[in-house]
Amino acid sequence: MKEYKVKEVADLLGKHEETIKRWIRSGKFPNAYRNSDKEGWRVIESDLLKLNKVFQLVRLNR
């Protein structure tokens, strides 16, 4: 599975990097991990796909 940096996720979703980090800390990306402070967070593609399904459902219901 592909891994994304916080900046890449922010660009894909049109959100600020700090928002993505907040989502990681709150558990919205349960498989996100950090090897070291220098490398930063990595978000797994499957977490993004699950989040995308939730966003699509929210948009369809509006």
Side-chain angles (χ1 to χ4, degrees), residues 5-60:
K5 295 179 182 180
V6 169
K7 179 165 179 31
E8 294 171 324
V9 175
D11 291 342
L12 285 170
L13 299 177
K15 301 290 182 185
H16 195 274
E17 289 180 47
E18 288 302 317
T19 301
I20 303 305
K21 290 177 187 177
R22 197 175 317 113
W23 287 358
I24 290 171
R25 290 191 301 269
S26 73
K28 200 169 264 194
F29 299 111
N31 297 312
Y33 68 94
R34 189 168 75 175
N35 285 333
S36 69
D37 288 339
K38 185 176 180 181
E39 288 184 26
W41 286 97
R42 296 291 188 265
V43 177
I44 306 298
E45 187 176 33
S46 62
D47 285 349
L48 282 177
L49 294 173
K50 288 176 191 172
L51 184 67
N52 189 34
K53 288 179 185 177
V54 170
F55 274 138
Q56 284 179 352
L57 289 176
V58 170
R59 287 184 193 138
L60 289 175

